[in-house]
Amino acid sequence: MRNLKTSTLLFELSKPARRAATLPACDVPVERIDKLLPKDSLSERLPPLPEVSEPEVVRHFTNLSTLNMSVDTHFYPLGSCTMKYNSKRNERMAALPGIADLHPHQPDETIQGMLELLYELQQILGEISGLPAVSLQPAAGAHGELAALMVAAAYFRDKKLLRTKVLAPDSAHGTNPASAKMAGFEFVTVKSNAAGFVDMEDLQSKLDDQIAVFMITNPSTLGIFDKQVSQIAQLVHKMGGLIYLDGANMNAILGITRPGDFGADMMHYNPHKTFSGPHGGGGPGAGPICVTDILGPYLPAPVVEKVEDKFRLAYDRAQSIGRVRSFFGNVGVLVRAWCYIRTHGPEGLKAVAENAVLNANYLLSRVKHILPVPQGDRCMHEFVASAAAIKKKTSVSAMDLAKRLLDYGFHAPTVYFPLTVPEAMMIEPTETESKETMDAFAEILFRITEESPELLHEAPHSTIISRPDEVRAARQPMMRWKGDGNVR
Amino acid sequence: MPYFYNTPEDQQAMLAAIGASSVDELFDVIPAEHRLKRPLALPPALSEMELAQQLGALAAKNDHAGSKVCFLGGGSYDHFVPAVVDALAGRGEFYTSYTPYQPEVAQGNLQVMFEYQTLICELTGMDVSNASLYDGGSAAAEGVLLAMSVTGRPGKVVVAGSVNPEYRQILETYFECIGAHLVTVPAASGIVRPADVAAAVDSDTACVLLQHPNFFGCLEDVAAISKIAHDAGALLVQSFDPISLGLLKRPADLGADVAVAEGQSLGTPMLYGGPYLGIMACKEAFVRRMPGRIAGQTVDRRGRRCWVLTLQTREQHIRREKATSNICTNQGLFALRAAIYLAQMGPQGLKETAELCVRKAAYAKQQLTAGSRFSAAFSQPTFKEFVIRDKQNRVADLLKSASAAGYLAGIPLGKWYPELEDCFLVTVTEKRTKGEIEGLTRSLNQ
């Protein structure tokens, strides 16, 4: 049960001489610290951390947790994020001492089980994508994009080709242009047409021999499969460029079609989405990348290799771009992905895509009578409704609807993305929701559109706080507690 | 299928509502030539029990810090994780939620982010912290990119050779793409000499990246090097060990402009290298160029204190190619773990942990170098790690036989430092006992 006295900060609970942790007595000779370390390196005072008891720690964080909506507690149709059920068995597996307590510098012969798992995951991800060369190193989807664009840059350098541009549609995730910039490329936006597909004319006009990579999210952020993709790939390949698939929406096509089969040369997965690694309140993710055999030598090192019956980390890769993060990768997330994939098997993964698409289409069939869905009657795993018409008529915005949904116990869809749809509400139910839940969501959405605009402008009404003043947060940034400013 | 709801009846009802004859029809938009016409070539599905058996069998093939005594460090550490951390971070309301885009239903996560940021500021003495980055290595790279952006000097960075070699490799990878130049100052005596840093720094240098305590466990002269950097108009980016701040002066007190760290020591298991926690804190003046999410305090419409994601105009989802970084996620769950850990330890607990590390490491160094075979490679004072030289130059064999005897004894250094081919890095955390240290000594001397 929610405790309403929860918003006290840790620092306000602090009282001198309270403490939680106790440590064992020192069992080696107790030398004076200033004999072991130079005096001028030592701080003259204790680190200024809060002083609280263990029961306070437990109550504080437990109560805070109850202020969150989560997949465990609520329907969370946050488009593009694939908020599906995170299975408890995967948590148990990832916490086994033979998994969680491995040091990343242990010699290969002491971690054969872990390397076998990671090797198998490389093979599996290669098979699902149709792109056989795999690096598990990147730490998140955006990090995978960056690593793959670095792979492309290394490939072109090696071929002595000067390639300066990365192209992506205007509906792309913001990470695409940002990654292109970090990888040293100039970014060029390609328009989408009214149907949400890549505008071929605009693409052709921007294609020249400076193109390195065309980045495409397919299914797109509008939840539709761009069937021009192989035609796009042909055009880009003819110019000597590469196709990058942003794999954020792989949930819709597992076992149905493979990026490598429709023209992609490189892609990343978001295992925290597609393979249900929990989202952790904003991370961790992981961003494994898969590429064609031609690009394989440029992948980050190390990768796991199998030599006879043994597994080893291969660092000896002369053309590799090098490292993009320390150690092997976000192994905890990768182990959960392995568990998820092995639990489903080949038929199960295909059924994931089928049920995700079925659920999204069903919810679309209910929602389209309430809010228009500009991209049509069918979708893949998600769809984008628009509140533009209702806003014009009643001044109720996508934000208002989103906030009011919270009052009824539904997490809001992703709003105002993609940027190409006015008053966008991007809805992704995932395969782990029931028809009953989706029916209830649609009914509530309809009821909300009948409510008074005044009520909606002020929503939410039942949450622990009402709408925060975000302008004030940005104009007078207060990014840490300073012992004052207790507005109550 | 384990996690679905849809019964065949549900599916039929849903298809009827959609107006489709089959689920397959929903995929008609995908051109037939691209449809996969065979099942994926993957192993068959496993029940929960079979999964536990198969993964259990793989896990059983691994040695781990519970089955062998772990003296490995180099950026990942076998520190103690209090039970409260697992119990609290294991709450589904935390780990199955996502980025707090709807602050009204994410005050728990937002308040944790704000508390985490405050704890990191208190620990480092810096003005502002973000809500975390991927890991220590990419945080160091982002810290350097921040310094380049702040100083308007995109061409050159000076890095100490005593910075974690993997962090330097990440920088090399990032720099290759943007055409920047990385100058490495050697650390022949275990630390860099301020005079060598001064010789490398010039008016094009964006920053000096220094690790303290460094990769060898030695203490650098941070204050002197920070002055050298500042005199040239460059910044000092310090990579620190959070546990060391139970005793050592804070990065801000030493003159650091940007402080970065691997936060794994703060309540996260070693997990074969990740996911971990990238810590980044800096001066207030740089905040609008800092990468990553930031939680800020504000008020709601009824004037109640609350928290939101703020300064989002730095970020990729708004600024796209003009963003300060491409980073989209933070390591929310590990920032939470760090906040719980620091709350549980408190000032006294963190200090005592650091003291135990220092005393036990000093004892281990003394024990290991008491015989004739081993010497300390460097004479510098060390924190919880130190470099041992094997006078017989048989490091690989030595570590192998120690492993057979039950000790993960150290990290060979030759692959990063050819001149240290006869050396290995030994780490001693508060968890190691006198008996384990003496056992390690015996095993290495056999």
Side-chain angles (χ1 to χ4, degrees), chain A residues 23 34 92 198 257 339 366 382 416 423 475-476 480:
Chain A
L23 286 126
D34 59 7
R92 178 189 273 185
V198 172
T257 180
C339 291
R366 305 250 355 212
E382 66 190 3
Y416 301 104
E423 298 294 318
R475 291 224 175 117
Q476 307 160 33
R480 58 167 296 188

Side-chain angles (χ1 to χ4, degrees), chain A residues 40-281:
Chain A
D40 66 357
S41 71
L42 299 174
S43 179
E44 280 150 21
R45 56 187 192 130
L46 285 171
L49 299 171
E51 296 174 79
V52 290
S53 68
E54 181 165 322
E56 271 177 308
V57 172
V58 171
R59 193 168 289 166
H60 177 72
F61 286 100
T62 302
N63 284 332
L64 283 182
S65 77
T66 67
L67 306 184
N68 292 335
M69 273 192 180
S70 67
V71 174
D72 273 4
T73 55
H74 293 84
F75 180 43
Y76 211 127
L78 191 67
S80 195
C81 298
T82 314
M83 302 299 288
K84 62 169 83 176
Y85 169 65
N86 306 126
S87 96
K88 300 300 171 192
R89 70 187 72 168
N90 296 359
E91 295 305 304
R92 178 189 273 185
M93 293 297 101
L96 290 176
I99 302 291
D101 295 339
L102 265 56
H103 190 282
H105 282 309
Q106 275 183 236
D108 291 354
E109 64 269 17
T110 68
I111 49 163
Q112 285 294 303
M114 174 58 85
L115 294 181
E116 185 176 340
L117 182 153
L118 296 171
Y119 179 79
E120 192 174 302
L121 187 61
Q122 287 177 183
Q123 306 289 107
I124 288 170
L125 296 182
E127 163 66 7
I128 295 173
S129 63
L131 294 164
V134 180
S135 165
L136 301 176
Q137 194 176 97
H143 204 220
E145 289 174 17
L146 177 62
L149 291 175
M150 287 171 166
V151 164
Y155 165 79
F156 288 119
R157 263 198 311 276
D158 216 22
K159 298 283 168 223
K160 312 234 175 328
L161 294 169
L162 180 69
R163 295 284 171 156
T164 56
K165 292 183 197 167
V166 167
L167 280 63
D170 48 15
S171 58
H173 295 110
T175 51
N176 289 187
S179 299
K181 167 87 181 314
M182 282 184 81
F185 292 104
E186 179 195 338
F187 182 77
V188 180
T189 303
V190 177
K191 284 185 209 153
S192 319
N193 60 26
F197 299 128
V198 172
D199 181 330
M200 295 301 281
E201 213 169 294
D202 194 51
L203 171 64
Q204 300 233 27
S205 75
K206 287 167 180 167
L207 268 186
D208 58 25
D209 63 5
Q210 293 297 297
I211 182 177
V213 180
F214 182 79
M215 302 178 83
I216 183 164
T217 309
N218 202 24
S220 74
T221 57
L222 292 159
I224 49 179
F225 191 90
D226 193 334
K227 55 191 171 196
Q228 310 170 111
V229 64
S230 61
Q231 193 193 344
I232 293 169
Q234 277 173 16
L235 286 171
V236 169
H237 287 151
K238 213 165 112 189
M239 283 297 181
L242 300 169
I243 296 288
Y244 182 84
L245 181 99
D246 180 329
N249 297 335
M250 281 300 285
N251 210 44
I253 58 170
L254 294 169
I256 305 279
T257 180
R258 308 192 305 169
D261 297 345
F262 59 70
D265 303 287
M266 316 184 278
M267 69 164 287
H268 77 261
Y269 285 94
N270 298 99
H272 47 292
K273 300 180 184 177
T274 311
F275 304 128
S276 98
H279 284 72

Side-chain angles (χ1 to χ4, degrees), chain A residues 468-479:
Chain A
D469 185 345
E470 302 200 15
V471 173
R472 171 175 159 152
R475 291 224 175 117
Q476 307 160 33
M478 197 190 295
M479 295 163 287

Side-chain angles (χ1 to χ4, degrees), chain B residues 5-169:
Chain B
Y5 285 89
N6 295 338
T7 63
E9 195 188 327
D10 288 334
Q11 292 188 335
Q12 287 314 314
M14 288 158 76
L15 285 169
I18 295 164
S21 59
S22 68
V23 171
D24 208 49
E25 190 194 310
L26 301 174
F27 293 95
D28 279 354
V29 287
I30 301 176
E33 69 266 30
H34 300 322
R35 293 287 298 269
L36 190 65
K37 290 167 192 76
R38 58 169 177 83
L40 288 166
L42 301 178
L46 300 174
S47 65
E48 179 173 359
M49 208 190 303
E50 291 165 309
L51 180 78
Q53 285 158 350
Q54 289 221 10
L55 192 85
L58 288 173
K61 290 186 195 174
N62 301 322
D63 292 334
H64 56 83
S67 67
K68 288 192 174 170
V69 187
C70 183
F71 288 94
L72 306 180
S76 173
Y77 300 98
D78 186 25
H79 285 294
F80 185 69
V81 179
V84 292
V85 179
D86 287 329
L88 295 168
R91 290 186 62 89
E93 300 94 325
F94 280 130
Y95 80 81
T96 74
S97 62
Y98 199 31
T99 306
Y101 293 126
Q102 298 293 340
E104 298 88 345
V105 292
Q107 282 299 297
N109 282 336
L110 283 160
Q111 185 174 333
V112 169
M113 284 165 76
F114 185 78
E115 292 183 338
Y116 164 84
Q117 289 166 197
T118 306
L119 289 162
I120 296 302
C121 289
E122 293 189 334
L123 204 55
T124 58
M126 307 301 290
D127 302 327
V128 287
S129 161
N130 68 13
S132 73
L133 299 169
Y134 304 136
D135 71 339
S138 53
E142 291 283 349
V144 164
L145 296 176
L146 171 63
M148 290 167 137
S149 161
V150 166
T151 56
R153 296 176 177 184
K156 180 180 164 184
V157 163
V158 172
V159 61
S162 47
V163 169
N164 187 320
E166 292 196 347
Y167 296 8
R168 289 185 286 120
Q169 288 170 347

